[in-house]
Amino acid sequence: KDNQGAPNKNIGDAFLLAWRLPDDADLSQPVGTIADGALRAFVRSCLECQASDNLRKMTEHPKIQERLPGFRIDMGYGLHVGWAIEGAIG
């Protein structure tokens, strides 16, 4: 909410988050405010995951490390600006 994004859905091992452009947005002009919000959310989520004692305790748990040696939290991100089709397909 702080960065104007909204969760859309869980897609297996990832989440789809959306920053919607206003209906009257002119894509020939910079959309920096929305892109800045998405980037701030990305940086914040990285920092909060790294600082989380709960995540650290879970990933360092002996049973997890025994089963998955060297396991750590890993996240990937993508950013798209432009038209997109949302909703159930198929």
Side-chain angles (χ1 to χ4, degrees):
K1 184 176 178 180
D2 295 344
N3 296 300
Q4 307 304 313
N8 186 290
K9 65 180 173 178
N10 179 329
I11 48 178
D13 62 349
F15 292 95
L16 175 62
L17 306 174
W19 281 261
R20 294 179 186 227
L21 294 172
D23 289 336
D24 60 351
D26 179 2
L27 292 179
S28 68
Q29 300 297 317
V31 289
T33 303
I34 293 170
D36 289 345
L39 182 60
R40 279 192 308 271
F42 159 72
V43 170
R44 182 177 176 183
S45 65
C46 289
L47 293 174
E48 288 186 14
C49 284
Q50 289 175 355
S52 171
D53 286 335
N54 288 335
L55 285 177
R56 183 186 50 75
K57 288 176 187 174
M58 283 188 275
T59 59
E60 291 176 356
H61 192 281
K63 289 195 181 233
I64 289 179
Q65 288 300 318
E66 178 184 319
R67 187 166 178 164
L68 302 166
F71 175 78
R72 65 185 182 95
I73 300 295
D74 192 23
M75 298 184 301
Y77 295 86
L79 179 62
H80 167 77
V81 174
W83 293 102
I85 298 173
E86 295 182 70
I89 299 175

Coordinates of all heavy atoms in Angstrom, one line a residue:
K1 N 0.8 -1.2 0.0 CA 0.0 0.0 0.0 C 0.9 1.3 0.0 O 0.5 2.2 -0.7 CB -0.9 0.0 1.2 CG -1.9 1.1 1.2 CD -2.8 1.0 2.4 CE -3.7 2.2 2.4 NZ -4.7 2.2 3.4
D2 N 2.0 1.2 0.7 CA 2.8 2.4 0.8 C 3.3 2.9 -0.6 O 3.6 4.0 -0.8 CB 4.1 2.1 1.7 CG 3.7 1.8 3.1 OD1 2.6 2.2 3.5 OD2 4.6 1.3 3.8
N3 N 3.5 1.9 -1.5 CA 4.1 2.2 -2.8 C 3.0 2.1 -3.9 O 3.4 2.0 -5.1 CB 5.3 1.3 -3.1 CG 6.4 1.6 -2.1 OD1 6.9 2.7 -2.0 ND2 6.7 0.6 -1.3
Q4 N 1.7 2.1 -3.6 CA 0.6 2.1 -4.5 C 0.4 0.8 -5.3 O -0.3 0.8 -6.3 CB 0.8 3.3 -5.5 CG 1.0 4.7 -4.8 CD -0.2 5.0 -3.8 OE1 -1.3 4.8 -4.1 NE2 0.2 5.4 -2.6
G5 N 1.1 -0.2 -4.9 CA 0.9 -1.5 -5.6 C -0.2 -2.3 -4.9 O -0.6 -2.0 -3.8
A6 N -0.6 -3.4 -5.6 CA -1.6 -4.2 -5.0 C -1.3 -5.7 -5.4 O -1.0 -6.0 -6.5 CB -3.0 -3.8 -5.6
P7 N -1.5 -6.6 -4.4 CA -1.3 -8.0 -4.8 C -2.4 -8.5 -5.7 O -3.6 -8.1 -5.6 CB -1.4 -8.7 -3.4 CG -2.1 -7.8 -2.5 CD -1.9 -6.4 -3.1
N8 N -2.0 -9.3 -6.7 CA -3.0 -9.8 -7.7 C -3.3 -11.2 -7.4 O -4.4 -11.6 -7.3 CB -2.4 -9.5 -9.1 CG -3.4 -9.9 -10.2 OD1 -3.7 -11.0 -10.4 ND2 -3.9 -8.9 -10.9
K9 N -2.2 -12.1 -7.4 CA -2.4 -13.5 -7.1 C -1.1 -14.2 -6.9 O 0.0 -13.7 -7.2 CB -3.1 -14.2 -8.3 CG -2.3 -14.2 -9.6 CD -3.2 -14.9 -10.7 CE -2.4 -14.9 -12.0 NZ -3.2 -15.6 -13.0
N10 N -1.2 -15.4 -6.3 CA -0.1 -16.3 -6.0 C 0.0 -17.2 -7.3 O -1.0 -17.8 -7.6 CB -0.3 -17.1 -4.8 CG 0.8 -18.0 -4.5 OD1 1.5 -18.5 -5.4 ND2 1.0 -18.3 -3.2
I11 N 1.2 -17.2 -7.9 CA 1.4 -18.0 -9.1 C 2.4 -19.1 -8.8 O 3.5 -19.1 -9.4 CB 1.7 -17.2 -10.3 CG1 2.8 -16.2 -10.0 CG2 0.5 -16.5 -10.8 CD1 3.2 -15.3 -11.2
G12 N 2.1 -20.0 -7.8 CA 3.1 -21.0 -7.5 C 4.1 -20.6 -6.6 O 3.9 -20.3 -5.4
D13 N 5.4 -20.4 -7.1 CA 6.5 -20.0 -6.2 C 6.7 -18.5 -6.3 O 7.8 -18.0 -6.0 CB 7.7 -20.8 -6.5 CG 8.2 -20.5 -7.9 OD1 7.5 -19.9 -8.7 OD2 9.3 -20.9 -8.3
A14 N 5.7 -17.7 -6.7 CA 5.9 -16.3 -6.9 C 4.5 -15.6 -6.7 O 3.5 -16.3 -6.6 CB 6.4 -16.0 -8.3
F15 N 4.6 -14.3 -6.5 CA 3.4 -13.5 -6.4 C 3.4 -12.5 -7.5 O 4.4 -11.9 -7.9 CB 3.4 -12.7 -5.1 CG 3.2 -13.7 -3.9 CD1 4.3 -14.1 -3.2 CD2 1.9 -14.1 -3.5 CE1 4.2 -15.0 -2.1 CE2 1.8 -14.9 -2.4 CZ 2.9 -15.4 -1.7
L16 N 2.2 -12.2 -8.0 CA 2.0 -11.2 -9.0 C 1.5 -10.0 -8.3 O 0.4 -10.0 -7.7 CB 1.0 -11.6 -10.1 CG 0.7 -10.6 -11.2 CD1 1.9 -10.2 -12.0 CD2 -0.4 -11.1 -12.1
L17 N 2.2 -8.9 -8.4 CA 1.8 -7.6 -7.9 C 1.6 -6.6 -9.0 O 2.3 -6.6 -10.0 CB 2.9 -7.1 -6.9 CG 3.3 -8.0 -5.8 CD1 4.5 -7.5 -5.1 CD2 2.2 -8.4 -4.9
A18 N 0.6 -5.7 -8.9 CA 0.3 -4.8 -10.0 C 0.3 -3.4 -9.5 O -0.1 -3.1 -8.4 CB -1.1 -5.2 -10.5
W19 N 0.9 -2.6 -10.3 CA 0.8 -1.1 -10.2 C 0.0 -0.6 -11.4 O 0.6 -0.6 -12.5 CB 2.2 -0.5 -10.2 CG 2.9 -0.6 -8.8 CD1 2.9 0.3 -7.9 CD2 3.6 -1.8 -8.3 NE1 3.6 -0.2 -6.8 CE2 4.0 -1.5 -7.0 CE3 3.8 -3.1 -8.8 CZ2 4.7 -2.4 -6.2 CZ3 4.5 -4.0 -8.0 CH2 5.0 -3.6 -6.8
R20 N -1.2 -0.3 -11.2 CA -2.0 0.1 -12.4 C -1.9 1.5 -12.8 O -1.8 2.4 -11.9 CB -3.5 -0.2 -12.0 CG -3.8 -1.6 -11.8 CD -5.2 -1.9 -11.5 NE -5.4 -3.3 -11.2 CZ -6.3 -4.1 -11.6 NH1 -7.3 -3.5 -12.4 NH2 -6.4 -5.3 -11.3
L21 N -1.8 1.7 -14.1 CA -1.7 3.1 -14.6 C -3.1 3.6 -14.6 O -4.1 2.9 -14.8 CB -1.2 3.0 -16.0 CG 0.3 2.6 -16.2 CD1 0.6 2.5 -17.7 CD2 1.2 3.6 -15.5
P22 N -3.3 4.9 -14.4 CA -4.6 5.5 -14.6 C -5.2 5.3 -16.0 O -4.4 5.1 -16.9 CB -4.4 7.0 -14.3 CG -3.0 7.1 -13.7 CD -2.2 5.9 -14.1
D23 N -6.5 5.2 -16.1 CA -7.1 4.9 -17.4 C -6.7 6.0 -18.4 O -6.6 5.6 -19.6 CB -8.6 4.9 -17.3 CG -9.1 3.7 -16.5 OD1 -8.4 2.7 -16.5 OD2 -10.2 3.8 -15.9
D24 N -6.4 7.2 -18.0 CA -6.1 8.2 -19.0 C -4.6 8.4 -19.1 O -4.1 9.4 -19.6 CB -6.7 9.6 -18.6 CG -6.3 10.1 -17.2 OD1 -5.6 9.3 -16.5 OD2 -6.7 11.2 -16.9
A25 N -3.8 7.4 -18.7 CA -2.3 7.5 -18.8 C -1.8 7.6 -20.2 O -2.3 6.9 -21.1 CB -1.7 6.3 -18.1
D26 N -0.9 8.5 -20.4 CA -0.2 8.7 -21.7 C 1.1 7.9 -21.7 O 2.0 8.4 -21.1 CB 0.0 10.1 -22.0 CG 0.6 10.4 -23.4 OD1 0.9 9.4 -24.1 OD2 0.9 11.6 -23.7
L27 N 1.1 6.7 -22.3 CA 2.3 5.9 -22.3 C 3.5 6.5 -23.1 O 4.6 6.0 -23.1 CB 2.0 4.5 -22.7 CG 1.2 3.7 -21.7 CD1 0.9 2.3 -22.2 CD2 1.8 3.6 -20.3
S28 N 3.2 7.6 -23.9 CA 4.3 8.2 -24.6 C 5.1 9.1 -23.7 O 6.1 9.6 -24.0 CB 3.8 9.0 -25.8 OG 3.0 10.1 -25.4
Q29 N 4.6 9.3 -22.4 CA 5.2 10.2 -21.4 C 5.8 9.3 -20.3 O 5.3 8.2 -20.1 CB 4.2 11.2 -20.8 CG 3.6 12.1 -21.8 CD 4.6 13.0 -22.5 OE1 5.5 13.5 -21.8 NE2 4.5 13.1 -23.8
P30 N 6.8 9.7 -19.6 CA 7.4 8.9 -18.5 C 6.3 8.6 -17.5 O 5.5 9.4 -17.2 CB 8.5 9.8 -17.9 CG 8.8 10.8 -19.0 CD 7.5 11.0 -19.8
V31 N 6.4 7.4 -17.0 CA 5.5 6.9 -15.9 C 6.4 6.7 -14.6 O 6.2 5.7 -13.9 CB 4.7 5.7 -16.3 CG1 3.7 6.0 -17.3 CG2 5.6 4.6 -16.8
G32 N 7.3 7.6 -14.3 CA 8.2 7.4 -13.3 C 7.6 7.2 -11.9 O 8.2 6.4 -11.1
T33 N 6.6 7.9 -11.6 CA 6.0 7.8 -10.2 C 5.6 6.3 -9.9 O 5.9 5.8 -8.9 CB 4.8 8.7 -10.1 OG1 5.2 10.0 -10.4 CG2 4.2 8.6 -8.7
I34 N 4.9 5.7 -10.9 CA 4.5 4.3 -10.7 C 5.7 3.3 -10.7 O 5.9 2.5 -9.9 CB 3.5 3.9 -11.8 CG1 2.2 4.7 -11.5 CG2 3.2 2.4 -11.7 CD1 1.2 4.6 -12.6
A35 N 6.7 3.5 -11.6 CA 7.9 2.7 -11.6 C 8.7 2.9 -10.4 O 9.3 2.0 -9.8 CB 8.7 3.0 -12.9
D36 N 8.8 4.2 -9.9 CA 9.5 4.4 -8.6 C 8.9 3.7 -7.5 O 9.6 3.1 -6.6 CB 9.5 5.9 -8.3 CG 10.4 6.7 -9.3 OD1 11.2 6.1 -10.0 OD2 10.3 7.9 -9.3
G37 N 7.5 3.6 -7.4 CA 6.9 2.9 -6.4 C 7.2 1.4 -6.4 O 7.4 0.7 -5.4
A38 N 7.2 0.8 -7.6 CA 7.5 -0.6 -7.8 C 8.9 -0.9 -7.4 O 9.2 -1.8 -6.7 CB 7.3 -1.0 -9.3
L39 N 9.9 0.0 -7.7 CA 11.3 -0.2 -7.3 C 11.4 0.0 -5.8 O 12.2 -0.8 -5.2 CB 12.1 0.9 -8.1 CG 13.6 0.7 -7.8 CD1 14.2 -0.6 -8.2 CD2 14.4 1.8 -8.5
R40 N 10.8 0.9 -5.2 CA 10.8 1.1 -3.8 C 10.3 -0.2 -3.1 O 10.9 -0.7 -2.1 CB 10.0 2.3 -3.3 CG 10.7 3.6 -3.4 CD 10.0 4.7 -2.7 NE 8.6 4.8 -3.0 CZ 8.2 5.6 -4.0 NH1 9.0 6.3 -4.8 NH2 6.9 5.6 -4.3
A41 N 9.2 -0.8 -3.6 CA 8.7 -2.0 -3.0 C 9.6 -3.1 -3.1 O 9.8 -3.9 -2.2 CB 7.3 -2.3 -3.7
F42 N 10.3 -3.2 -4.3 CA 11.3 -4.3 -4.5 C 12.5 -4.2 -3.5 O 12.8 -5.1 -2.8 CB 11.9 -4.2 -5.9 CG 13.2 -4.9 -6.1 CD1 13.3 -6.2 -6.1 CD2 14.3 -4.1 -6.3 CE1 14.6 -6.8 -6.2 CE2 15.6 -4.7 -6.5 CZ 15.7 -6.0 -6.4
V43 N 13.0 -3.0 -3.3 CA 14.1 -2.7 -2.4 C 13.7 -3.0 -1.0 O 14.4 -3.7 -0.2 CB 14.7 -1.3 -2.6 CG1 15.7 -1.0 -1.5 CG2 15.3 -1.1 -4.0
R44 N 12.5 -2.5 -0.6 CA 12.0 -2.7 0.7 C 11.8 -4.2 1.0 O 12.2 -4.7 2.1 CB 10.7 -2.0 0.9 CG 10.2 -2.1 2.3 CD 8.9 -1.3 2.5 NE 8.3 -1.5 3.8 CZ 7.2 -1.0 4.2 NH1 6.5 -0.2 3.4 NH2 6.8 -1.2 5.4
S45 N 11.3 -5.0 0.1 CA 11.1 -6.4 0.4 C 12.4 -7.1 0.5 O 12.5 -8.0 1.4 CB 10.2 -7.0 -0.7 OG 10.8 -7.0 -2.0
C46 N 13.4 -6.8 -0.3 CA 14.7 -7.3 -0.1 C 15.3 -7.0 1.3 O 15.8 -7.9 1.9 CB 15.7 -6.8 -1.2 SG 15.3 -7.5 -2.8
L47 N 15.3 -5.8 1.7 CA 15.8 -5.4 2.9 C 15.1 -6.0 4.1 O 15.7 -6.5 5.1 CB 15.8 -3.9 3.1 CG 16.7 -3.1 2.1 CD1 16.4 -1.6 2.3 CD2 18.2 -3.4 2.4
E48 N 13.8 -6.1 4.0 CA 13.0 -6.7 5.1 C 13.3 -8.2 5.2 O 13.3 -8.7 6.3 CB 11.5 -6.4 5.0 CG 11.2 -4.9 5.3 CD 9.7 -4.6 5.3 OE1 8.9 -5.5 5.3 OE2 9.4 -3.4 5.3
C49 N 13.4 -8.9 4.1 CA 13.7 -10.3 4.1 C 15.1 -10.6 4.7 O 15.3 -11.5 5.5 CB 13.7 -10.9 2.7 SG 12.0 -11.2 2.2
Q50 N 16.1 -9.7 4.4 CA 17.4 -9.9 4.9 C 17.5 -9.6 6.4 O 18.2 -10.2 7.2 CB 18.4 -8.9 4.2 CG 18.7 -9.4 2.8 CD 19.6 -8.4 2.1 OE1 19.9 -7.3 2.6 NE2 19.9 -8.7 0.8
A51 N 16.6 -8.7 6.9 CA 16.6 -8.3 8.3 C 15.7 -9.1 9.2 O 15.8 -9.0 10.4 CB 16.2 -6.8 8.4
S52 N 14.9 -10.0 8.6 CA 14.0 -10.8 9.4 C 14.6 -11.9 10.2 O 15.2 -12.8 9.6 CB 12.9 -11.4 8.4 OG 12.1 -12.3 9.1
D53 N 14.5 -11.8 11.5 CA 15.0 -12.8 12.4 C 14.2 -14.1 12.2 O 14.7 -15.2 12.2 CB 14.9 -12.4 13.9 CG 15.9 -11.4 14.2 OD1 17.0 -11.3 13.6 OD2 15.7 -10.6 15.2
N54 N 12.9 -14.0 11.9 CA 12.0 -15.2 11.7 C 12.5 -16.0 10.5 O 12.6 -17.2 10.5 CB 10.6 -14.8 11.6 CG 10.0 -14.4 12.9 OD1 10.4 -14.8 14.0 ND2 8.9 -13.6 12.9
L55 N 12.7 -15.3 9.4 CA 13.2 -16.0 8.2 C 14.6 -16.6 8.4 O 14.9 -17.7 8.0 CB 13.2 -15.0 7.0 CG 11.9 -14.7 6.4 CD1 12.1 -13.7 5.2 CD2 11.2 -15.9 5.9
R56 N 15.4 -15.8 9.1 CA 16.8 -16.4 9.4 C 16.7 -17.6 10.2 O 17.4 -18.6 9.9 CB 17.6 -15.3 10.1 CG 19.1 -15.8 10.3 CD 19.9 -14.8 11.1 NE 19.2 -14.4 12.4 CZ 19.1 -15.1 13.5 NH1 19.6 -16.3 13.5 NH2 18.4 -14.7 14.5
K57 N 15.9 -17.6 11.2 CA 15.7 -18.8 12.1 C 15.2 -20.0 11.3 O 15.7 -21.1 11.5 CB 14.8 -18.5 13.3 CG 15.5 -17.6 14.3 CD 14.5 -17.2 15.4 CE 15.1 -16.2 16.4 NZ 14.1 -15.7 17.3
M58 N 14.2 -19.7 10.4 CA 13.7 -20.8 9.7 C 14.7 -21.4 8.7 O 14.8 -22.6 8.6 CB 12.4 -20.3 8.9 CG 11.2 -20.2 9.7 SD 9.7 -19.9 8.8 CE 9.8 -18.1 8.6
T59 N 15.4 -20.5 8.0 CA 16.4 -21.0 7.0 C 17.6 -21.7 7.6 O 18.2 -22.6 7.0 CB 16.8 -19.9 6.0 OG1 17.4 -18.9 6.8 CG2 15.7 -19.4 5.2
E60 N 17.9 -21.3 8.9 CA 19.0 -21.9 9.6 C 18.6 -23.1 10.4 O 19.5 -23.7 11.0 CB 19.7 -20.9 10.5 CG 20.4 -19.8 9.7 CD 21.0 -18.7 10.6 OE1 20.8 -18.7 11.8 OE2 21.7 -17.8 10.0
H61 N 17.4 -23.5 10.4 CA 16.9 -24.6 11.2 C 17.7 -25.9 10.8 O 17.8 -26.2 9.6 CB 15.4 -24.8 11.0 CG 14.8 -25.8 12.0 ND1 14.9 -27.2 11.8 CD2 14.2 -25.6 13.1 CE1 14.3 -27.8 12.8 NE2 13.9 -26.8 13.7
P62 N 18.2 -26.6 11.7 CA 19.0 -27.8 11.4 C 18.4 -28.8 10.5 O 19.0 -29.4 9.6 CB 19.3 -28.4 12.8 CG 19.2 -27.3 13.8 CD 18.2 -26.4 13.2
K63 N 17.1 -29.0 10.7 CA 16.4 -30.0 9.8 C 16.3 -29.5 8.3 O 16.4 -30.3 7.4 CB 15.0 -30.4 10.4 CG 15.1 -31.2 11.6 CD 13.8 -31.8 12.0 CE 14.0 -32.6 13.2 NZ 13.5 -33.9 13.1
I64 N 16.1 -28.2 8.2 CA 16.1 -27.7 6.8 C 17.4 -27.7 6.2 O 17.6 -28.2 5.0 CB 15.5 -26.2 6.8 CG1 14.0 -26.3 7.1 CG2 15.8 -25.5 5.5 CD1 13.3 -24.9 7.2
Q65 N 18.5 -27.4 6.9 CA 19.8 -27.4 6.4 C 20.3 -28.8 6.2 O 21.1 -29.1 5.2 CB 20.8 -26.6 7.4 CG 20.6 -25.1 7.3 CD 20.8 -24.6 6.0 OE1 21.8 -24.9 5.2 NE2 20.0 -23.6 5.6
E66 N 19.8 -29.8 6.9 CA 20.2 -31.2 6.7 C 19.6 -31.6 5.4 O 20.2 -32.3 4.6 CB 19.6 -32.0 7.9 CG 19.9 -33.5 7.7 CD 19.2 -34.3 8.9 OE1 19.3 -33.8 10.0 OE2 18.7 -35.3 8.6
R67 N 18.3 -31.3 5.2 CA 17.7 -31.7 3.9 C 18.1 -30.9 2.7 O 18.1 -31.4 1.6 CB 16.2 -31.6 4.2 CG 15.4 -32.2 3.1 CD 14.0 -32.4 3.4 NE 13.3 -33.0 2.3 CZ 12.1 -33.6 2.3 NH1 11.5 -33.7 3.5 NH2 11.5 -34.0 1.3
L68 N 18.3 -29.6 2.9 CA 18.6 -28.7 1.8 C 19.9 -27.9 2.2 O 19.8 -26.7 2.6 CB 17.5 -27.7 1.5 CG 16.1 -28.4 1.1 CD1 15.0 -27.4 1.2 CD2 16.2 -29.0 -0.3
P69 N 21.1 -28.5 2.2 CA 22.3 -27.8 2.6 C 22.5 -26.5 1.9 O 22.3 -26.4 0.7 CB 23.4 -28.8 2.3 CG 22.7 -30.1 2.2 CD 21.3 -29.8 1.7
G70 N 22.7 -25.4 2.7 CA 23.0 -24.1 2.1 C 21.7 -23.4 1.7 O 21.8 -22.3 1.1
F71 N 20.5 -23.9 2.1 CA 19.3 -23.2 1.7 C 19.2 -21.8 2.2 O 19.7 -21.5 3.3 CB 18.1 -24.0 2.3 CG 16.8 -23.3 2.0 CD1 16.2 -23.4 0.8 CD2 16.2 -22.6 3.0 CE1 15.0 -22.7 0.5 CE2 15.0 -21.9 2.8 CZ 14.4 -22.0 1.5
R72 N 18.7 -20.9 1.4 CA 18.5 -19.5 1.8 C 17.3 -19.0 1.0 O 16.9 -19.6 0.0 CB 19.7 -18.7 1.5 CG 20.1 -18.5 0.1 CD 21.4 -17.8 -0.1 NE 21.7 -17.6 -1.5 CZ 21.4 -16.6 -2.2 NH1 20.8 -15.6 -1.7 NH2 21.8 -16.5 -3.5
I73 N 16.7 -17.9 1.5 CA 15.6 -17.3 0.8 C 16.2 -16.6 -0.5 O 17.2 -15.9 -0.5 CB 14.9 -16.2 1.7 CG1 14.4 -16.9 3.0 CG2 13.8 -15.5 0.9 CD1 13.3 -17.9 2.7
D74 N 15.5 -16.9 -1.6 CA 15.9 -16.3 -2.9 C 14.6 -15.8 -3.6 O 13.6 -16.5 -3.6 CB 16.6 -17.4 -3.7 CG 17.3 -16.8 -4.9 OD1 17.6 -15.6 -4.9 OD2 17.5 -17.5 -5.9
M75 N 14.7 -14.6 -4.1 CA 13.5 -14.0 -4.8 C 13.9 -13.4 -6.1 O 15.1 -13.0 -6.3 CB 12.9 -12.9 -3.9 CG 12.4 -13.4 -2.6 SD 11.6 -12.1 -1.6 CE 12.9 -10.9 -1.4
G76 N 13.0 -13.5 -7.0 CA 13.3 -12.8 -8.3 C 12.2 -11.8 -8.6 O 11.1 -11.9 -8.1
Y77 N 12.5 -10.9 -9.4 CA 11.5 -9.8 -9.7 C 11.5 -9.5 -11.2 O 12.5 -9.6 -11.9 CB 11.9 -8.5 -8.9 CG 11.8 -8.7 -7.5 CD1 12.8 -9.2 -6.7 CD2 10.6 -8.3 -6.8 CE1 12.7 -9.3 -5.3 CE2 10.5 -8.4 -5.4 CZ 11.6 -8.9 -4.7 OH 11.5 -9.1 -3.4
G78 N 10.4 -9.0 -11.7 CA 10.3 -8.5 -13.0 C 9.4 -7.3 -13.0 O 8.6 -7.1 -12.1
L79 N 9.6 -6.4 -14.0 CA 8.8 -5.2 -14.1 C 8.4 -5.0 -15.5 O 9.2 -5.1 -16.5 CB 9.7 -4.0 -13.7 CG 9.1 -2.6 -13.7 CD1 7.9 -2.6 -12.7 CD2 10.1 -1.6 -13.3
H80 N 7.1 -4.8 -15.7 CA 6.5 -4.6 -17.0 C 5.6 -3.3 -17.0 O 4.9 -3.2 -16.0 CB 5.6 -5.8 -17.4 CG 4.8 -5.5 -18.6 ND1 5.3 -5.5 -19.9 CD2 3.5 -5.2 -18.7 CE1 4.3 -5.2 -20.8 NE2 3.2 -5.0 -20.1
V81 N 5.8 -2.5 -17.9 CA 4.9 -1.3 -18.0 C 4.2 -1.4 -19.4 O 4.9 -1.6 -20.4 CB 5.7 0.0 -17.9 CG1 4.8 1.2 -18.2 CG2 6.4 0.2 -16.6
G82 N 3.0 -1.3 -19.4 CA 2.2 -1.3 -20.6 C 0.9 -2.1 -20.5 O 0.5 -2.4 -19.3
W83 N 0.4 -2.5 -21.5 CA -0.9 -3.2 -21.5 C -0.7 -4.7 -21.0 O 0.3 -5.3 -21.3 CB -1.5 -3.3 -22.9 CG -2.0 -2.0 -23.4 CD1 -1.3 -1.1 -24.3 CD2 -3.1 -1.3 -22.9 NE1 -2.0 0.0 -24.4 CE2 -3.1 0.0 -23.6 CE3 -4.2 -1.5 -22.1 CZ2 -4.1 0.9 -23.4 CZ3 -5.2 -0.6 -21.9 CH2 -5.1 0.6 -22.6
A84 N -1.6 -5.2 -20.3 CA -1.6 -6.5 -19.8 C -3.0 -7.0 -19.6 O -4.0 -6.2 -19.4 CB -0.9 -6.6 -18.4
I85 N -3.2 -8.3 -19.8 CA -4.5 -8.9 -19.7 C -4.5 -9.7 -18.3 O -3.6 -10.5 -18.1 CB -4.8 -9.9 -20.8 CG1 -4.9 -9.1 -22.1 CG2 -6.1 -10.6 -20.6 CD1 -5.0 -10.0 -23.4
E86 N -5.4 -9.4 -17.5 CA -5.5 -10.0 -16.2 C -6.8 -10.9 -16.1 O -7.7 -10.6 -16.8 CB -5.7 -8.9 -15.1 CG -4.5 -8.0 -14.9 CD -4.7 -7.1 -13.8 OE1 -4.7 -7.5 -12.6 OE2 -4.9 -5.9 -14.0
G87 N -6.7 -11.9 -15.3 CA -7.8 -12.8 -15.1 C -7.5 -14.2 -15.4 O -6.5 -14.6 -15.8
A88 N -8.5 -15.0 -15.1 CA -8.4 -16.5 -15.4 C -8.3 -16.8 -16.9 O -9.1 -16.2 -17.6 CB -9.5 -17.2 -14.7
I89 N -7.4 -17.6 -17.3 CA -7.3 -18.0 -18.7 C -7.4 -19.5 -18.7 O -6.7 -20.2 -18.0 CB -6.0 -17.5 -19.3 CG1 -5.9 -16.0 -19.3 CG2 -5.9 -18.1 -20.7 CD1 -4.6 -15.5 -19.8
G90 N -8.3 -20.1 -19.6 CA -8.3 -21.5 -19.7 C -9.5 -22.1 -19.1 O -10.3 -21.7 -18.3

